[in-house]
Amino acid sequence: SFHLDVALAPLSNGLIAYAPDSFTEDSIEKIEQVATKTIKVSIEDASILAVNSILLDDTVLISTKNAPQLENDLKSAGYNVKTFDMSEYYKSGGGIKCLTLEHYQK
């Protein structure tokens, strides 16, 4: 089981990257209903915190250099992608998004 931010990444224009193996069938149906498009991420990539990413303008910052399929899928969706070696931080269970302080508005 994962925290939500390592299994699902809402991007822009209704695109959601998520790891289906981390969700129940009911949850997958809900994700697919609200998303205009999805990128399905392997459980292997989710396990190395590849989904724990940040969208900055049109660039997605990814916590690992070891998720080439996700990187290619994001590029195909029109994003620039920058990968980072977060292996030292990963040892404590975090990725690049975990290092941000986000403010959510309703």
Side-chain angles (χ1 to χ4, degrees):
S1 85
F2 293 109
H3 289 153
L4 186 58
D5 66 350
V6 299
L8 183 138
L11 298 167
S12 60
N13 301 321
L15 175 63
I16 297 176
Y18 76 102
D21 290 341
S22 300
F23 294 93
T24 64
E25 287 298 320
D26 185 48
S27 295
I28 291 170
E29 286 178 25
K30 289 177 182 174
I31 292 167
E32 294 286 342
Q33 286 173 357
V34 299
T36 57
K37 184 177 179 189
T38 59
I39 294 175
K40 292 176 180 67
V41 182
S42 70
I43 194 68
E44 292 81 17
D45 285 355
S47 296
I48 58 171
L49 305 182
V51 183
N52 189 255
S53 302
I54 301 169
L55 176 62
L56 185 62
D57 296 322
D58 65 345
T59 302
V60 180
L61 310 179
I62 299 180
S63 301
T64 181
K65 296 180 179 201
N66 297 319
Q69 184 61 53
L70 176 58
E71 187 175 346
N72 288 336
D73 289 345
L74 290 167
K75 287 178 179 176
S76 293
Y79 294 99
N80 296 311
V81 177
K82 297 224 181 248
T83 59
F84 296 88
D85 178 5
M86 302 292 293
S87 57
E88 287 300 309
Y89 192 66
Y90 176 80
K91 291 176 184 177
S92 65
I96 200 163
K97 186 170 184 168
C98 295
L99 294 173
T100 65
L101 177 60
E102 292 184 297
H103 175 74
Y104 295 97
Q105 296 179 354
K106 291 185 178 187

